[in-house]
Amino acid sequence: MANKIAKLVIEGQDPIELPIYPGTLGPEVIDVRGLASKGYFTYDPGFMATASCDSAITYIDGNEGVLLHRGYPIKELAEKRDYLDVCYLLLNGELPDDKAKREFHQIVMRHTMVHEQMHDFFKGFRRDAHPMSVMVGVVGALSAFYHDSLDITNEHHREVAATRLISKMPTLAAMVYKYSIGQPFVYPRNDLSYGGNFLHMMFSNPCEKYYVSPTLARAMDKIFILHADHEQNASTSTVRLTGSSGANPFACIASGIAALWGPAHGGANEAVLNMLEEIGDVSKIDEFIARAKDKDDPFRLMGFGHRVYKNYDPRAKVMKETADEVLSELGITDDPLLDIARRLEQIALEDPYFVEKKLYPNVDFYSGIIFKALGIPTSMFTVIFAVGRTPGWIAHWKEMISGPYRIGRPRQLYTGEGVREVEE
């Protein structure tokens, strides 16, 4: 219900009345749909001031450093719940009770295997292909193997597709990694946790047993939680836009993976490691810090500050604690890149230039450190991001499909040639 009316005054015309709607939290929105009947469209490149939908899933207040999933602060979820609890929350609106938790965990972990023919599907890719290119292909191809749940108007089909995607994404991600290094695929172990099973499929092999450290499994779980959803970002909006055409859920998630692949979106933690490698040695840090402060120098410190959070990234504190636990568990004390990262972190938290501009280390900075410590190559970072983000994408897709919706059709301000004749 509109609580106020905005009046748009255009010279020589009667004022146009536009309803204003309040949300539970955050700024109010002006409903501009009535402008089309008056012959006008709004102009907002990048949709920086446009609410494309209403949603009850995630709320972000970047100025205050707030991230809520269904009303729960992200820090509390990461500290008190596991990843599958957060998946259930995003999909269903409430945290599971004990019975629902057991049932949901069981159904997810019992569907981690993929169709055996998917193994052959991988052979069509080059071994040196970027892992994200393979992920886009194999996730989209799931619709060819699981076409018994593609009726998006059927609620049961939507639930089955959601479970399959959450169950199989870690399996596919690990298969992508194993294929890239020429090792055999490792079947999932349903007796392990979600994060522990992923590490098992990534790092075990038929020649020897792989011990899944509970500390590392929990760290992986937290990484998934902290990436589970982030409101209407580029990839989530892509999933919604693709879904608005009636596309099947596997195609929609594949489109989200493609959007996430872009370095301006999902490649930030990969950029952190590339930056550390560019710096190369602790002795060169002062030189690069000076370059970062020079507005005329193209060099930028990656992993500091956030375009959404003008304050401290609420996920970063949890990720820092997790990074410290991982480094301690692995006994890493003399890695040159991690030494550079620690020194950069110290400078960012103490140097007045970074403090005043609120360029604090963000979630990408610490997740990059964790992945490096675990031995995960940089090309796999965004793949793991996609695994974690899957329940958020699905929740937004389900939310849209479950209610009245229209196919997305953005308009444009045409600036090309006017009408002209073709000469004979």
Side-chain angles (χ1 to χ4, degrees), residues 69-70 72 76-77 80-108 225:
H69 291 329
R70 303 287 191 177
Y72 294 103
E76 293 184 26
L77 290 171
K80 299 177 181 179
R81 293 288 186 154
D82 63 29
Y83 177 66
L84 289 183
D85 287 349
V86 175
C87 291
Y88 185 95
L89 172 68
L90 292 172
L91 294 173
N92 299 292
E94 298 292 343
L95 286 167
D97 58 23
D98 290 342
K99 180 175 181 292
K101 179 185 178 79
R102 287 194 302 272
E103 291 176 350
F104 185 71
H105 279 229
Q106 183 181 48
I107 194 170
V108 169
I225 290 174

Side-chain angles (χ1 to χ4, degrees), residues 70 87-93 100 103-104 107-108 111 146 148-168 249-250 390-391 394-399 401-402:
R70 303 287 191 177
C87 291
Y88 185 95
L89 172 68
L90 292 172
L91 294 173
N92 299 292
E103 291 176 350
F104 185 71
I107 194 170
V108 169
H111 289 83
Y146 302 102
D148 59 340
S149 59
L150 299 183
D151 181 359
I152 63 172
T153 65
N154 185 308
E155 183 178 358
H156 177 65
H157 281 207
R158 296 197 297 267
E159 295 294 334
V160 170
T163 302
R164 280 175 168 164
L165 279 160
I166 292 172
S167 300
K168 300 179 191 307
F250 302 110
T390 296
I394 298 169
H396 283 276
W397 172 79
K398 282 185 62 185
E399 182 180 62
I401 295 296
S402 299

Side-chain angles (χ1 to χ4, degrees), residues 238-380:
T238 300
V239 170
R240 279 184 173 262
L241 192 60
T242 304
S244 74
S245 73
N248 73 73
F250 302 110
C252 293
I253 301 308
S255 74
I257 295 171
L260 187 69
W261 189 3
H265 187 11
N269 46 20
E270 184 174 345
V272 169
L273 262 292
N274 293 335
M275 174 198 69
L276 296 178
E277 291 173 353
E278 182 181 356
I279 294 174
D281 190 88
V282 174
S283 63
K284 297 181 180 179
I285 288 180
D286 290 343
E287 170 194 339
F288 280 89
I289 290 293
R291 290 180 59 188
K293 294 178 180 180
D294 184 355
K295 64 180 181 180
D296 296 322
D297 193 304
F299 176 76
R300 294 290 180 268
L301 284 178
M302 306 305 296
F304 296 87
H306 196 283
R307 67 174 300 183
V308 172
Y309 299 108
K310 308 309 177 187
N311 206 315
Y312 197 74
D313 183 341
R315 303 167 296 174
K317 183 177 181 181
V318 178
M319 195 66 88
K320 171 180 166 46
E321 294 169 354
T322 302
D324 291 341
E325 291 170 1
V326 168
L327 295 178
S328 175
E329 172 76 6
L330 296 175
I332 297 176
T333 58
D334 58 353
D335 186 293
L337 293 188
L338 296 179
D339 289 342
I340 296 171
R342 289 190 187 96
R343 178 59 183 145
L344 286 175
E345 176 193 27
Q346 180 183 4
I347 292 172
L349 295 175
E350 297 175 356
D351 189 309
Y353 175 87
F354 293 96
V355 174
E356 290 170 8
K357 293 181 177 293
K358 298 182 178 178
L359 297 176
Y360 303 112
N362 60 31
V363 68
D364 300 308
F365 179 79
Y366 292 116
S367 62
I369 291 174
I370 293 172
F371 292 153
K372 172 69 171 66
L374 290 174
I376 296 172
T378 55
S379 60
M380 281 293 296

